[in-house]
């Protein structure tokens, strides 16, 4: 049987939104705050106060020029009118110990985004909550995004956090993304963004139920996704967990996905095109919500007709998928190579992957080698009662089943006593929030009550 493939969708257009009248700063090296801007007659920033928290309304788009700086460090709320965009071409330092909220001015308004448009130097954004608008990044030397929340992004851009053009670099830590219309984090085809994404949570993004995964990235020379939780909505049968694509033939790509929990999506992790990828110590559970098994439902799907992909999988739990791991094309796929005597060799792999309850239409599919390459998959625990050659053969599809396919070398298998399940630190996937909706840094002492979805309403001691 030849498995059909539905390519991951990578949205490459740049939604610019509706841009109205605009104010541009003087470009003479000055530092601006919302307080200062509110005192400039034609800036479009209007100030009001409520309960000792500064509240501002932005009525028109605004640009911070290349020689100027925007600094926001106090607790405040910025309410943005329809189509408003905030463009940073200069320097920016946004956020402090108290929360900042970017949101819409009214239920009928759809603000555009905060846009980092080739800013000068490093940009830091901390403790900011984005509601009904997002953050778009172009050619940024270094973005440090920490402890931020992206909620109910409107989808006018391809992602709530969207990287376009140029060689962007970013560190995204301790952030939460929920209910975006499209992807939570995305990059355009020509961005080649180098990203470190760690300790982040993703909840039911890609609400529009298009063929767009929650994390939707173009391969680059460095993408690290570590200690993240990506939870889908079983009702959305078009939405994957993590999608990595290479449509322009980028070389020297390196993607590492490590210690992540990915559950309840259409598929767990999928690659399209040439990519070097390592998937380590992840739990991929119930990534099966595809109505037609011929179109998806894999825990891990590796698709590369150009046969340049190198993939290395170790220590993962892959459970409850329509297909455990599927391979189409690719250059080298290594799920375990314990037969090498040199344990320091780059191709040595202890395996340690665990397969449970993967299959569809009454058949078990732990590993489907729908390619011509030889795949090593030694040292793993398979979804059979007895880890024998004959039993394991029943859950693997390869040359034995179809002479045109490559062989899977799966023996020797692992032993259950020698393999530990991947574990998740609960503090890294369950976030706590202030009454203003800002994520609390780990280690702070709070009391409060649990309400829903791992989020808490808290009262500080």
């Amino acid at each position: 049987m030849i498995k059909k493939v539905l390519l991951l969708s990578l949205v490459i257009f740049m939604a610019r939104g509706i841009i109205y009248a605009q104010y541009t700063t003087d470009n003479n090296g000055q530092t601006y705050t919302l307080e200062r801007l509110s005192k400039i007659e034609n800036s479009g920033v209007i100030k009001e106060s409520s309960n000792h928290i500064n509240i501002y309304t932005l009525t028109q788009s605004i640009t911070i020029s290349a020689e100027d700086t925007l600094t926001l460090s106090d607790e405040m709320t910025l309410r943005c009118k329809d189509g408003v965009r905030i463009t940073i071409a200069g320097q920016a330092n946004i956020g402090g110990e108290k929360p900042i909220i970017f949101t819409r001015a009214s239920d009928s308004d759809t603000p555009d985004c905060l846009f980092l448009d080739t800013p000068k130097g490093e940009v830091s954004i901390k403790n900011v909550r984005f509601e009904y608008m997002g953050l778009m990044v172009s050619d940024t030397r270094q973005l440090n995004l920490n402890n931020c929340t992206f909620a109910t992004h409107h989808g006018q851009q391809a992602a709530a956090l969207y990287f376009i053009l140029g060689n962007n670099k970013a560190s995204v830590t301790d952030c939460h993304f929920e209910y975006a219309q499209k992807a939570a984090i995305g990059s355009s085809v020509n961005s080649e963004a180098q990203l470190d994404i760690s300790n982040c949570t993703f909840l039911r993004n890609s609400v529009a139920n298009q063929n767009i995964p929650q994390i939707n990235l173009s391969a680059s020379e460095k993408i690290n996704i570590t200690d993240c939780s990506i939870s889908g909505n079983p009702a959305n049968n078009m939405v994957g967990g993590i999608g990595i694509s290479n449509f322009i033939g980028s070389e020297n790509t390196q993607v590492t996905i490590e210690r992540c929990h990915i559950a309840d999506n259409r598929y767990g992790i999928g690659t399209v095109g040439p990519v070097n990828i390592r998937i380590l110590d992840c739990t991929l559970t119930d990534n099966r919500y595809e109505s037609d098994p011929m179109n998806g439902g894999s825990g891990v799907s590796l698709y590369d007709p150009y046969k340049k992909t190198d993939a290395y999988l170790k220590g993962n739990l892959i459970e409850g998928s329509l297909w455990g791991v599927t391979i189409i094309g690719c250059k080298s796929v290594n799920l375990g190579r314990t037969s090498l005597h040199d344990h320091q060799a780059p191709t040595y792999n202890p395996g340690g992957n665990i397969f449970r309850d993967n299959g569809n239409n009454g058949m078990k599919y732990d590993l489907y080698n729908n390619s011509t390459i030889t795949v090593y998959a030694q040292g793993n625990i398979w979804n059979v009662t007895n880890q024998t050659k004959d039993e394991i053969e029943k859950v693997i599809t390869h040359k034995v089943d179809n002479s045109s396919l490559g062989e899977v070398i799966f023996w020797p298998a692992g032993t259950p006593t020698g393999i530990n399940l991947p574990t998740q630190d609960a503090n890294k996937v369950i976030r706590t929030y202030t009454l203003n909706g800002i994520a609390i840094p780990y280690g702070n002492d709070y009391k409060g009550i649990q309400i829903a979805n791992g989020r808490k309403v808290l009262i500080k001691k």
Side-chain angles (χ1 to χ4, degrees):
M1 179 184 69
I2 302 299
K3 183 171 177 282
K4 297 180 182 178
V5 177
L6 184 64
L7 297 183
L8 304 177
S9 173
L10 182 67
V11 179
I12 64 174
F13 64 85
M14 243 185 336
R16 289 293 184 178
I18 302 171
I19 308 300
Y20 294 105
Q22 177 169 296
Y23 172 78
T24 301
T25 61
D26 291 337
N27 200 33
N28 57 7
Q30 298 188 56
T31 297
Y32 291 85
T33 63
L34 290 184
E35 178 69 21
R36 179 179 178 183
L37 288 166
S38 70
K39 296 176 181 179
I40 299 174
E41 183 176 358
N42 61 340
S43 70
V45 178
I46 300 171
K47 180 185 178 182
E48 56 183 293
S49 293
S50 175
N51 297 327
H52 307 291
I53 298 174
N54 290 324
I55 297 178
Y56 300 87
T57 299
L58 183 59
T59 62
Q60 64 180 10
S61 294
I62 189 168
T63 295
I64 305 300
S65 299
E67 299 302 322
D68 297 332
T69 301
L70 177 67
T71 298
L72 306 179
S73 58
D74 298 325
E75 185 175 11
M76 64 181 67
T77 296
L78 179 60
R79 297 172 173 171
C80 299
K81 289 286 191 178
D82 196 52
V84 160
R85 173 178 291 186
I86 306 160
T87 300
I88 309 294
Q91 299 187 53
N93 193 334
I94 300 174
E97 296 307 314
K98 295 184 178 180
I100 293 173
I101 300 174
F102 289 83
T103 189
R104 60 188 180 184
S106 72
D107 291 349
S108 62
D109 287 319
T110 303
D112 188 51
C113 66
L114 174 64
F115 182 29
L116 304 181
D117 187 7
T118 319
K120 298 183 67 174
E122 186 173 299
V123 176
S124 176
I125 300 177
K126 178 182 179 182
N127 288 345
V128 175
R129 180 178 176 88
F130 294 88
E131 297 177 343
Y132 309 104
M133 61 186 296
L135 175 62
M136 188 160 65
V137 184
S138 176
D139 206 14
T140 298
R141 186 180 306 171
Q142 177 66 45
L143 167 65
N144 298 316
L145 191 68
N146 178 251
N147 210 41
C148 293
T149 296
F150 293 78
T152 56
H153 181 253
H154 47 54
Q156 289 193 357
Q157 292 84 39
L161 173 58
Y162 188 36
F163 295 88
I164 63 171
L165 306 176
N167 191 18
N168 297 287
K169 296 182 180 180
S171 171
V172 183
T173 59
D174 296 313
C175 292
H176 178 74
F177 300 80
E178 63 179 17
Y179 301 107
Q181 284 293 311
K182 296 179 182 174
I185 302 179
S187 60
S188 64
V189 166
N190 53 354
S191 170
E192 297 190 68
Q194 299 180 51
L195 305 177
D196 277 306
I197 303 169
S198 63
N199 296 340
C200 294
T201 55
F202 301 82
L203 177 64
R204 296 192 170 189
N205 297 283
S206 206
V207 172
N209 197 25
Q210 299 172 345
N211 187 26
I212 301 173
Q214 296 197 58
I215 300 177
N216 188 24
L217 300 175
S218 292
S220 75
E221 64 182 65
K222 188 187 77 169
I223 294 175
N224 295 327
I225 305 173
T226 59
D227 298 303
C228 292
S229 174
I230 301 112
S231 300
N233 180 359
N236 288 347
N237 64 350
M238 293 295 290
V239 181
I242 299 175
I244 308 292
S245 304
N246 183 359
F247 293 141
I248 60 174
S250 298
E251 298 182 354
N252 301 318
T253 63
Q254 185 61 59
V255 177
T256 299
I257 303 173
E258 186 170 10
R259 296 188 306 276
C260 290
H261 177 71
I262 306 170
D264 296 329
N265 301 281
R266 177 188 168 210
Y267 56 84
I269 299 170
T271 68
V272 175
V275 60
N276 298 315
I277 186 167
R278 296 171 64 85
I279 303 173
L280 311 173
D281 303 318
C282 294
T283 60
L284 299 106
T285 305
D286 293 330
N287 298 289
R288 60 180 298 111
Y289 294 101
E290 162 61 58
S291 57
D292 183 354
M294 293 297 99
N295 289 335
S298 298
V300 176
S301 174
L302 306 168
Y303 173 75
D304 175 21
Y306 306 103
K307 298 184 178 180
K308 295 182 179 180
T309 287
D310 282 308
Y312 181 102
L313 286 75
K314 177 188 74 68
N316 304 289
L317 170 63
I318 302 172
E319 180 178 22
S321 301
L322 302 182
W323 316 86
V325 175
T326 55
I327 302 164
I328 300 176
C330 301
K331 175 184 176 182
S332 171
V333 178
N334 183 346
L335 286 89
R337 193 167 183 181
T338 61
S339 55
L340 287 176
H341 296 297
D342 182 4
H343 289 194
Q344 302 304 314
T347 55
Y348 173 79
N349 181 351
N353 300 291
I354 300 173
F355 296 86
R356 291 179 178 168
D357 300 326
N358 302 292
N360 64 83
N361 294 324
M363 300 291 293
K364 295 180 180 180
Y365 295 105
D366 282 350
L367 174 57
Y368 200 117
N369 183 19
N370 199 1
S371 73
T372 59
I373 65 172
T374 297
V375 173
Y376 279 86
Q378 299 170 326
N380 300 307
I381 300 297
W382 305 90
N383 186 34
V384 294
T385 302
N386 298 310
Q387 302 293 313
T388 65
K389 285 185 178 181
D390 289 342
E391 289 298 304
I392 295 171
E393 188 69 65
K394 297 175 183 178
V395 297
I396 295 174
T397 302
H398 64 138
K399 188 174 184 177
V400 172
D401 307 280
N402 184 333
S403 61
S404 67
L405 301 179
E407 183 181 4
V408 175
I409 299 175
F410 58 82
W411 194 260
T415 57
T417 56
I419 294 177
N420 296 320
L421 288 174
T423 59
Q424 301 291 320
D425 183 342
N427 288 329
K428 292 181 178 179
V429 298
I430 299 178
R431 304 303 308 279
T432 54
Y433 292 75
T434 68
L435 292 173
N436 291 318
I438 303 299
I440 302 297
Y442 298 119
N444 287 353
D445 191 14
Y446 287 83
K447 63 180 180 179
I449 57 173
Q450 183 85 20
I451 52 173
N453 296 327
R455 299 184 62 165
K456 296 180 182 179
V457 174
L458 301 171
I459 301 173
K460 191 173 182 179
K461 290 183 179 180

